[in-house]
Amino acid sequence: TLRCRLHQLRPSDRQAMEDMHPERDEKLLKSLPSERKFETSEPVWVQINDDKIWHPAKICKEYPNSPLYDVSCKGRVVKKHADRLKHREVPVVKIPVVEMNKQIISEETKQSLREQMLRENSN
């Protein structure tokens, strides 16, 4: 192809496509260190031993000026490095509140309701 000085100012579309590497960029983003600060009682995911499985756990103790944490997992407390921990979102369950109003029923209404129930049960 013929090139002029304008091509040096703006690269061609083919060149721009060759420079794009979405897979590499995504891998790079995933490899970036995550937030490594955790607080006591915070829910986390933890890797125990060298297996690849992440288990739910909770931070028990922080060590000042250290990336180490005591973590409670499966009924035991283990000391883990921040690299073996991930933040864990715990869903908040909202329970609906039902309000009930107490009403005073007159004796006449009570008597009529009793009679109505007796008639229905006798059928």
Side-chain angles (χ1 to χ4, degrees):
T1 62
L2 292 175
R3 291 187 157 228
C4 64
R5 292 189 183 266
L6 290 176
H7 281 95
Q8 293 173 349
L9 294 176
R10 182 179 171 272
S12 68
D13 292 345
R14 184 178 54 83
Q15 253 184 324
M17 288 298 291
E18 288 173 1
D19 292 341
M20 295 171 87
H21 300 286
E23 295 86 11
R24 185 189 69 201
D25 296 342
E26 191 172 286
K27 189 175 180 181
L28 179 66
L29 285 174
K30 286 182 180 178
S31 69
L32 291 175
S34 61
E35 179 65 35
R36 292 176 26 147
K37 182 70 179 144
F38 302 93
E39 296 180 15
T40 305
S41 300
E42 181 179 346
V44 293
W45 293 104
V46 63
Q47 276 185 324
I48 298 180
N49 302 328
D50 287 329
D51 60 353
K52 302 271 184 193
I53 300 170
W54 291 90
H55 302 278
K58 188 178 272 193
I59 302 291
C60 293
K61 180 181 176 184
E62 301 175 58
Y63 291 94
N65 301 323
S66 171
L68 297 176
Y69 296 89
D70 280 349
V71 178
S72 171
C73 180
K74 295 184 177 182
R76 62 183 201 170
V77 176
V78 291
K79 188 179 285 189
K80 287 293 174 185
H81 192 275
D83 290 345
R84 293 284 181 176
L85 302 172
K86 285 185 181 180
H87 292 278
R88 178 168 60 108
E89 294 292 326
V90 178
V92 177
V93 178
K94 292 186 178 181
I95 301 173
V97 177
V98 178
E99 292 184 21
M100 298 180 69
N101 295 328
K102 185 176 180 179
Q103 295 180 352
I104 299 174
I105 300 174
S106 68
E107 286 299 321
E108 295 169 357
T109 309
K110 287 181 188 179
Q111 187 60 33
S112 66
L113 288 172
R114 283 187 194 119
E115 291 172 0
Q116 184 181 355
M117 288 175 62
L118 285 173
R119 276 184 264 142
E120 288 175 3
N121 288 337
S122 64
N123 292 337

